[in-house]
Amino acid sequence: SAEALRARAAALLLETHERGGRPGAALALLPPPRTAKERLRREVLAGRAHAAEGRRGEAVRAFLRAAMTGPEPLQHVAELASVRAKARRMAEGVYA
């Protein structure tokens, strides 16, 4: 049916944005969450979008909200800290 085709196209576009490193575009396509799994996905995408925009504090808050469903999203907070530490070392002239 046409409705099923539209739903499949929307799902593919969402996945394309997610995998293509465009979390903000993917987030804009998500319907309102109805389940814990959908809220988790939304918060992780929001965190990634904030991080991509340089809004580290908002990214951490989104990842912490996501972590309320389980510890897996905490790895994103650790990744943010790692990226920040690497950037600081590079700014100091340490490239290893």
Side-chain angles (χ1 to χ4, degrees):
S1 77
E3 184 64 29
L5 285 175
R6 274 193 293 280
R8 181 69 181 137
L12 286 172
L13 183 59
L14 176 63
E15 185 177 336
T16 299
H17 285 316
E18 246 180 309
R19 291 181 185 224
R22 294 180 301 280
L27 187 61
L29 295 174
L30 278 180
R34 295 180 310 232
T35 65
K37 186 176 181 178
E38 290 173 353
R39 281 191 302 278
L40 170 66
R41 185 178 188 191
R42 176 174 286 282
E43 292 296 349
V44 168
L45 277 173
R48 288 180 178 162
H50 293 315
E53 295 167 359
R55 298 182 347 221
R56 187 173 177 271
E58 291 177 46
V60 169
R61 282 190 288 281
F63 291 140
L64 290 175
R65 284 191 301 270
M68 292 171 69
T69 63
E72 296 85 10
L74 290 176
Q75 76 184 29
H76 298 293
V77 176
E79 289 170 4
L80 276 175
S82 175
V83 167
R84 185 173 181 174
K86 286 178 186 174
R88 187 178 321 116
R89 285 193 306 271
M90 287 181 72
E92 294 169 353
V94 179
Y95 297 101

